[in-house]
Amino acid sequence: MFMDTLADATAEEFRDRAERNAVEPRIDPGLLARVWVGEQIAVLRWWAEQETPPMPAEDVVRMLLDLGLRGRYWASGFDTPA
């Protein structure tokens, strides 16, 4: 229920942002929101479940920003495709 609530609110924000910027989303905003929320929660769970946190909270935030801005392709070590 927690993820559904977050995903619904996020999808609405994604729709509003697309409308404000006159763009057409390439992926349905509802699906995009579920992926985004799931990714955020997965990273936070991974970090919180470590016996000794592998990095400071600020680094986790930076990692989430990099994932959001650059994507998993970049995070896997590949250069951005041309």
Side-chain angles (χ1 to χ4, degrees):
M1 192 172 5
F2 175 71
M3 284 187 68
D4 289 343
T5 301
L6 286 176
D8 290 345
T10 302
E12 190 61 34
E13 177 57 34
F14 287 170
R15 285 184 195 97
D16 291 346
R17 183 175 57 188
E19 187 176 320
R20 280 192 311 271
N21 291 283
V23 298
E24 187 66 34
R26 291 184 177 96
I27 296 175
D28 178 88
L31 174 58
L32 182 58
R34 286 187 178 280
V35 169
W36 187 82
V37 167
E39 187 174 78
Q40 303 295 303
I41 290 173
V43 169
L44 293 173
R45 277 190 67 188
W46 166 81
W47 181 71
E49 289 173 352
Q50 306 299 310
E51 270 189 50
T52 303
M55 61 186 66
E58 294 81 9
D59 291 349
V60 175
V61 170
R62 178 81 247 161
M63 185 171 55
L64 287 169
L65 286 171
D66 282 340
L67 279 169
L69 294 172
R70 299 174 185 213
R72 288 179 300 279
Y73 188 79
W74 171 87
S76 297
F78 296 99
D79 292 328
T80 305

